[in-house]
Amino acid sequence: MSDNPLSPKPDRLDGLFSERQIVLPLTVAALLTLALSLTFLHFQDPASLPLGLNRYLGTGYCQFMIAIFILTLLYAALQYLGLQGERHRLRQRFDPRAARRNSRLRDWILYLSGRGPQDDDLPAALQDGSGKTRRREDLLHLRDDLLLLRSQQHQHNFAPIGFAIWVLPLLGFIGTVIGITQAIGGLEDSVDPSADGSGLGGVLGGLAFAFDTTFIGLVLVIPTMLSLLILRARAQKLDMVYYRILLDRLFCDTAD
């Protein structure tokens, strides 16, 4: 344990930086994606879909890429709802004009997003430190350090989305290599005099697979990047709420 009198208590820091905020929503999103995928495969035959959809949903590789996309969107939605619930909880705690209403649905959303009651202890951690010193410079440094922890928590929470933004185009390019390899193999069969003419079908099938996987990877990454931008904007707004609360408590403590 640190000997610095300004260091918040360990139980406070557990609420400021939590692995649960990434593990729990990622697990929930993965289970929901698995359930949706199995339901789709059970009740819907990809071969019965229109030709445009069948090209992308009829191959296991494209289905895997779409599953990663759905998982990422569900994870981003849980993070967004968690930020919204966290902001609402802050308003209820510090805004006297806010209505004090408890909602089981909101509590469940906060839980599924990995946010527990201890995650709103940032002002309390500042109060712990402010009670141990009267130097305003030390209080300002403590405030900045705690807000830095908030920023690191956001980067930690958004890491799976950044990984999806990186991996979706990469999977598309890997599919391109696989498809071109298949096309080259079919081209060899098409020029073989003893072949039965199926080589041309292999060439076209390989090229179609290559272009389809590249198209899927590039298209799916666009809404994924948009979701990350929305989350970052929401997180910045929440940090501004924290900043205002900490600033108010700082001046209240120094005035006393």
Side-chain angles (χ1 to χ4, degrees):
M1 183 181 298
S2 175
D3 296 332
N4 187 356
L6 294 180
S7 298
K9 296 179 181 180
D11 56 344
R12 299 295 190 194
L13 290 178
D14 291 340
L16 296 179
F17 195 86
S18 175
E19 292 286 342
R20 188 182 63 257
Q21 292 188 16
I22 184 174
V23 174
L24 185 57
L26 190 61
T27 303
V28 172
L31 292 176
L32 288 176
T33 303
L34 180 61
L36 291 174
S37 301
L38 293 178
T39 302
F40 173 79
L41 293 176
H42 179 74
F43 291 101
Q44 182 67 54
D45 183 11
S48 63
L49 295 174
L51 181 60
L53 293 177
N54 185 29
R55 288 186 58 179
Y56 305 116
L57 297 178
T59 60
Y61 193 87
C62 290
Q63 291 175 1
F64 176 70
M65 295 175 64
I66 294 174
I68 292 179
F69 169 72
I70 295 175
L71 186 152
T72 305
L73 284 191
L74 290 174
Y75 176 82
L78 287 173
Q79 289 292 341
Y80 183 86
L81 293 175
L83 292 173
Q84 287 286 90
E86 193 174 348
R87 183 178 182 182
H88 179 80
R89 189 167 56 188
L90 281 175
R91 291 185 59 189
Q92 281 192 328
R93 180 174 178 179
F94 295 101
D95 190 354
R97 298 170 298 178
R100 300 296 194 271
R101 292 183 300 178
N102 294 325
S103 172
R104 287 187 176 273
L105 178 60
R106 186 178 295 110
D107 293 340
W108 269 105
I109 291 176
L110 285 172
Y111 173 76
L112 293 178
S113 65
R115 289 160 175 83
Q118 69 274 22
D119 292 323
D120 60 351
D121 279 344
L122 182 55
L126 179 64
Q127 188 177 22
D128 287 345
S130 63
K132 300 174 183 177
T133 182
R134 288 300 177 183
R135 293 182 56 189
R136 186 170 180 177
E137 294 79 5
D138 292 337
L139 295 175
L140 291 173
H141 287 309
L142 178 61
R143 179 204 62 189
D144 294 338
D145 291 341
L146 294 178
L147 288 175
L148 179 61
L149 279 176
R150 289 291 308 173
S151 176
Q152 292 176 347
Q153 178 74 74
H154 293 321
Q155 294 180 7
H156 178 75
N157 292 348
F158 301 159
I161 305 176
F163 175 76
I165 292 174
W166 172 79
V167 79
L168 282 173
L170 183 61
L171 288 175
F173 294 140
I174 292 175
T176 302
V177 174
I178 295 174
I180 292 177
T181 303
Q182 293 176 354
I184 292 175
L187 185 62
E188 293 178 353
D189 294 336
S190 64
V191 298
D192 188 359
S194 61
D196 56 357
S198 61
L200 184 59
V203 173
L204 296 178
L207 291 177
F209 181 84
F211 291 130
D212 290 345
T213 53
T214 304
F215 177 77
I216 286 291
L218 295 178
V219 168
L220 294 184
V221 79
I222 297 175
T224 306
M225 294 180 66
L226 180 61
S227 67
L228 181 59
L229 292 177
I230 294 174
L231 278 177
R232 285 178 175 172
R234 178 57 58 182
Q236 289 178 355
K237 289 184 178 180
L238 180 61
D239 286 343
M240 291 303 298
V241 175
Y242 268 110
Y243 186 85
R244 179 175 57 83
I245 292 173
L246 294 177
L247 202 61
D248 292 341
R249 294 180 71 92
L250 174 63
F251 281 107
C252 288
D253 291 338
T254 54
D256 295 339

